[in-house]
Amino acid sequence: MMASHRPANHYCVSRPVYSKRAFDEDNDRQIPESRSFREKLSASSKCSSSRAKQVLKGLFPILDWLLQYPTKQWLPSDVISGVSTGLVCCLQGLAYALLVSVGPVYGLYAAFFPILTYFFLGTSRHLSVGPFPVTCLMVGSVVLTLAPDEDFMRPGNETCFLYIHITTTFTPHISLVYFLILQLGMGVFHVGFLVRYLSDPLVGGFTTAAAVHVLISQLKMVLSVPTHSHNGFFSLAYVLSDVFRNIKQTNVADLVAGLLTIVTVMAVKEINAKFQHKIPVPIPIEVIVTVVATGISYAVDLNSRYGASIVHSIPRGFVPAQFPNIELFGEILGSSFSTAVVGYAVSVSVAKVYAAKHDYKIDGNQELIAFGISNIFCGCFSGFVATTALSRTAIQESTGGKTQVAGLISALMVLIVIVAVGPLLQPLQKSVLAGIVIANLKGMFMQICDVPILWRQNRTDCFIWVFTCISCIVLGLDVGLLTGVVFELGTVVVRSQFPTCSTLGNVPGTDIYRNFKDYKNNGLVPVAPLGVDNEAFESEQDPEHVEGGAQQEVEDGSRQEIEVEVQVDWTSSLPVNVTVPKVNIHSLVMDFSAVSFLDMMSAKSLRLVIKEFIRIGVSVYIAGCDGTALCFFDDVVTRDLLFLTVHDAILFIKLEASNGNISDPMVDKISQMQDDKEPLPFTEDEDRIETYDNQHLVGSVQFYSW
């Protein structure tokens, strides 16, 4: 039956039975050289022309590709891509400024300045650098905490609020909030590994919750109703309460414009996605909607006749550069850190996708430096935090963008809007910008479809997704993200505290060992025929079985039944209160191929367990483990117990048994006790192990895989 299911191809390997020490000696294993911190620092400080060139290219990745830039082949594609992306950057910059609770012109600054520095410092050739709704919302919550809207607005009429002194009031706050030296410091000290703790399920739950926050924050813009500034726990509930309390003040003109914008933008985006292979350039629907809405608002005079809320002022040019106010840095330190980590995680994840697609590498630490310097530069000109947006990056890549030259062209388009076209957009309704923001949230909300998939594939990841999403919705984005990370690390700790071990069986005639419970119909056989009797645990639980077949297997194997005269003084007491279990095995093999490391406590416990097995005459062998992961060797527990594979250990035991080198453990120990008339001594460390744990391990473990 089994032969009919075997594959037709076979292979045969002939080699010696290797222990770990024998294999290392035969193959001249080299011990890794360990250097002190001073030696490492000295080596890294050495200067040469080649090293200087390497460092320069590391700090300025543009030197790798700009000198080899094929102008005739790539420049036309980069220009087309840059123009298309630049138009989207302008509109998204204006729209995402609403999430930060600042004037639209600051969104244009955030879409312009970061591109200039990232062009020289970034390692990704396809990222479109600029505002991202999640990070904009996170910074907006800090802005509202430092400077609530109600402190800087006065009523104009029943449905309209006019900002006063918006530039002079918010500029230092915005510069301060995005003073992301944290990103630069993280890059310099090479702590980009922190993003590893943001798994895909955690990021998915976080961004979905952020989309909910963005949606609710834009409701007041679409409805044009006044609300108070809320931040922290249950802030969404308070915002919704304010919206429904003032729902009667809804401006119909703004509501209609917002709904039409949402429907139109989403419909055209679906067309772009469906016919992306047939349309050379995606339809710039945001630009078309903005131009049409601005023209209608100007022609009909929606602000004066219907009280519609419009952009009002988009000044030409730039504000003077100024350094952020250091005094307020302590108040936004925590929020800046979470914003920096989230922005980095989003940008690097997107960059790696396109780097793999176009076959080049991304340097995570250099990306931190690039975005840190970009955000500092942008903050000094009153802009806000920049990362990347999935939709803009997709447009830049799909329209033929090859390098960051396309990003530079898109910055040129934003510059034209800042210095010339900006004032023409002053009649634009804010509800139209809010509609553009909401329409671009579809991709984030579609991540909810990942929950059923995660439930089928890995329920722990599903729990992480749901818990992070609910935490961010209820507690806020910054606290919710921290809570999600703690929960994710908690799941790792819990799973590591409950490892699984299983008894292995052998596929006859092979070196394959698998868990007994995973196979049936005699697919695996016990290890006893190979020289190791693994019936001890069952015989201890079933005394009748010991008298029957199990005893016969022992007699037929390498061990023979030996009769010995034993005289026991039952009136004497044992030195400790223990119950001696029945040990019917002479060897124990532990498969450590799945063990990555052992800490000090686990190594100490394992050493003591091995010593107790050796005391009762059970030889212990460890297979599939690198000796460098173990740090418990001494005179008793030596490196000779290490083997390359489980099969090497089993064959070694079989050879030892056939040569008669394995003696009966119980007979030897009882004889030694009779000769010495004293119990075997316990060392100070061994006496610390709990008796119950020792009994459990000795009675149940025979041939296990961890």
Side-chain angles (χ1 to χ4, degrees):
M1 180 64 68
M2 293 180 59
S4 61
H5 295 285
R6 289 180 179 177
N9 299 324
H10 300 273
Y11 70 92
C12 180
V13 177
S14 177
R15 66 171 179 83
V17 177
Y18 273 127
S19 66
K20 185 66 171 60
R21 174 176 294 181
F23 182 82
D24 292 345
E25 292 176 354
D26 288 352
N27 295 276
D28 296 330
R29 179 179 178 179
Q30 297 180 357
I31 299 177
E33 180 183 359
S34 59
R35 296 185 300 174
S36 63
F37 176 76
R38 177 179 296 181
E39 292 174 344
K40 294 180 181 178
L41 184 62
S42 175
S44 61
S45 302
K46 292 181 179 179
C47 184
S48 62
S49 58
S50 59
R51 181 167 179 79
K53 184 178 180 181
Q54 181 182 1
V55 172
L56 189 62
K57 285 187 175 182
L59 291 176
F60 298 97
I62 186 177
L63 299 177
D64 270 341
W65 56 267
L66 186 61
L67 299 178
Q68 304 173 358
Y69 185 80
T71 305
K72 294 182 179 181
Q73 290 83 5
W74 286 7
L75 185 60
S77 300
D78 280 339
V79 171
I80 296 174
S81 175
V83 172
S84 303
T85 308
L87 295 176
V88 178
C89 281
C90 296
L91 274 301
Q92 289 189 353
L94 293 171
Y96 293 159
L98 301 180
L99 299 176
V100 193
S101 301
V102 296
V105 67
Y106 298 104
L108 294 176
Y109 297 159
F112 173 72
F113 287 106
I115 299 177
L116 303 181
T117 50
Y118 189 85
F119 176 79
F120 296 97
L121 302 175
T123 58
S124 174
R125 303 176 188 175
H126 295 86
L127 279 188
S128 176
V129 183
F132 181 58
V134 175
T135 53
C136 289
L137 188 65
M138 295 178 71
V139 178
S141 64
V142 181
V143 172
L144 294 179
T145 301
L146 297 176
D149 285 347
E150 48 266 27
D151 293 348
F152 301 98
M153 293 188 295
R154 60 179 176 81
N157 53 37
E158 294 182 358
T159 61
C160 181
F161 280 75
L162 300 177
Y163 284 93
I164 60 172
H165 306 304
I166 184 80
T167 302
T168 58
T169 302
F170 276 112
T171 297
H173 291 300
I174 297 301
S175 300
L176 174 66
V177 169
Y178 297 108
F179 189 70
L180 294 180
I181 295 181
L182 288 172
Q183 272 188 332
L184 179 59
M186 290 165 64
V188 171
F189 291 101
H190 289 204
V191 293
F193 66 88
L194 290 176
V195 75
R196 299 175 185 174
Y197 297 103
L198 302 180
S199 63
D200 289 343
L202 185 140
V203 173
F206 171 76
T207 53
T208 303
V212 176
H213 279 271
V214 172
L215 174 63
I216 294 178
S217 68
Q218 295 307 293
L219 281 179
K220 63 180 182 181
M221 293 294 179
V222 174
L223 299 175
S224 191
V225 295
T227 60
H228 295 284
S229 299
H230 300 287
N231 191 23
F233 297 172
F234 304 103
S235 59
L236 292 185
Y238 295 132
V239 173
L240 287 175
S241 177
D242 291 343
V243 170
F244 287 113
R245 185 183 301 113
N246 301 318
I247 195 70
K248 294 182 179 179
Q249 303 181 32
T250 300
N251 187 285
V252 178
D254 285 335
L255 177 61
V256 172
L259 293 178
L260 287 176
T261 300
I262 295 172
V263 173
T264 304
V265 172
M266 293 184 67
V268 176
K269 281 182 174 293
E270 285 295 323
I271 295 175
N272 287 337
K274 187 174 182 179
F275 300 100
Q276 59 180 345
H277 299 294
K278 299 181 179 180
I279 302 177
V281 178
I283 302 174
I285 186 58
E286 291 96 339
V287 178
I288 297 174
V289 167
T290 301
V291 172
V292 173
T294 302
I296 294 176
S297 177
Y298 177 78
V300 182
D301 195 7
L302 295 178
N303 178 244
S304 300
R305 297 180 61 180
Y306 301 100
S309 178
I310 62 175
V311 173
H312 281 295
S313 176
I314 301 181
R316 283 191 175 95
F318 302 95
V319 297
Q322 58 178 326
F323 202 71
N325 185 2
I326 303 299
E327 296 178 358
L328 297 178
F329 185 72
E331 299 183 26
I332 53 92
L333 181 61
S335 299
S336 296
F337 179 77
S338 59
T339 304
V341 172
V342 171
Y344 171 70
V346 172
S347 60
V348 169
S349 60
V350 176
K352 286 184 176 180
V353 171
Y354 289 101
K357 182 178 180 180
H358 294 276
D359 193 21
Y360 62 90
K361 295 182 179 180
I362 295 295
D363 186 346
N365 291 308
Q366 180 62 27
E367 286 294 295
L368 271 173
I369 295 175
F371 278 104
I373 294 178
S374 297
N375 284 314
I376 293 173
F377 181 63
C378 181
C380 291
F381 285 92
S382 301
F384 49 82
V385 71
T387 173
T388 187
L390 281 69
S391 58
R392 289 199 311 272
T393 302
I395 291 175
Q396 181 167 317
E397 192 270 342
S398 62
T399 53
K402 305 296 184 182
T403 63
Q404 282 299 326
V405 172
L408 204 61
I409 300 298
S410 66
L412 179 61
M413 299 297 296
V414 179
L415 178 63
I416 294 174
V417 174
I418 292 175
V419 299
V421 183
L424 299 179
L425 300 176
Q426 292 179 358
L428 179 63
Q429 293 173 266
K430 290 184 178 180
S431 62
V432 174
L433 296 177
I436 293 175
V437 173
I438 294 174
N440 282 281
L441 297 177
K442 179 188 174 184
M444 296 185 185
F445 281 117
M446 291 302 295
Q447 294 178 120
I448 298 177
C449 299
D450 295 339
V451 175
I453 299 175
L454 290 174
W455 180 260
R456 292 190 298 267
Q457 294 179 348
N458 191 317
R459 295 191 178 183
T460 301
D461 286 343
C462 182
F463 290 145
I464 293 173
W465 195 104
V466 174
F467 182 85
T468 304
C469 183
I470 295 176
S471 299
C472 293
I473 292 175
V474 175
L475 305 179
L477 293 180
D478 48 358
V479 179
L481 177 62
L482 178 61
T483 306
V485 172
V486 172
F487 179 79
E488 180 184 44
L489 295 178
T491 60
V492 176
V493 173
V494 170
R495 282 183 286 182
S496 64
Q497 294 304 309
F498 299 97
T500 59
C501 61
S502 56
T503 305
L504 301 182
N506 174 250
V507 178
T510 70
D511 60 349
I512 300 174
Y513 296 84
R514 292 294 183 267
N515 185 2
F516 260 123
K517 296 181 180 180
D518 293 340
Y519 300 89
K520 57 183 179 179
N521 297 329
N522 299 323
L524 301 178
V525 299
V527 190
L530 293 177
V532 180
D533 184 4
N534 63 347
E535 298 289 340
F537 182 55
E538 289 78 359
S539 62
E540 183 181 355
Q541 293 182 347
D542 188 1
E544 296 181 357
H545 186 64
V546 177
E547 299 176 0
Q551 183 66 25
Q552 182 65 33
E553 289 183 9
V554 174
E555 294 177 355
D556 295 340
S558 61
R559 295 180 54 203
Q560 300 295 329
E561 183 178 356
I562 302 176
E563 295 182 1
V564 62
E565 182 179 356
V566 180
Q567 295 179 359
V568 180
D569 185 4
W570 299 102
T571 62
S572 62
S573 59
L574 292 174
V576 291
N577 184 20
V578 297
T579 301
V580 180
K582 297 180 180 179
V583 180
N584 216 14
I585 61 175
H586 57 69
S587 299
L588 169 68
V589 179
M590 294 185 288
D591 182 8
F592 269 35
S593 57
V595 177
S596 57
F597 73 97
L598 292 176
D599 58 17
M600 183 182 66
M601 291 304 299
S602 59
K604 181 178 179 181
S605 300
L606 182 60
R607 181 178 66 248
L608 296 178
V609 169
I610 293 175
K611 284 186 176 181
E612 292 208 354
F613 273 109
I614 295 175
R615 180 184 295 112
I616 63 175
V618 177
S619 301
V620 179
Y621 304 95
I622 297 177
C625 179
D626 188 358
T628 57
L630 305 178
C631 54
F632 57 77
F633 299 108
D634 55 20
D635 295 337
V636 179
V637 181
T638 64
R639 293 183 179 272
D640 293 332
L641 59 85
L642 299 180
F643 284 83
L644 286 184
T645 65
V646 172
H647 201 56
D648 283 308
I650 295 298
L651 294 179
F652 176 80
I653 295 171
K654 184 178 179 181
L655 291 174
E656 290 290 301
S658 62
N659 294 332
N661 295 331
I662 298 180
S663 60
D664 190 287
M666 298 307 295
V667 172
D668 293 341
K669 296 307 172 186
I670 292 174
S671 300
Q672 182 179 354
M673 291 175 64
Q674 288 181 327
D675 294 339
D676 298 341
K677 297 184 180 180
E678 291 182 0
L680 294 178
F682 283 79
T683 63
E684 181 180 354
D685 289 338
E686 293 166 348
D687 198 24
R688 297 176 183 175
I689 300 183
E690 297 182 8
T691 304
Y692 175 78
D693 290 339
N694 295 341
Q695 295 172 3
H696 180 71
L697 286 171
V698 174
S700 61
V701 178
Q702 300 123 56
F703 184 67
Y704 280 149
S705 171
W706 273 262

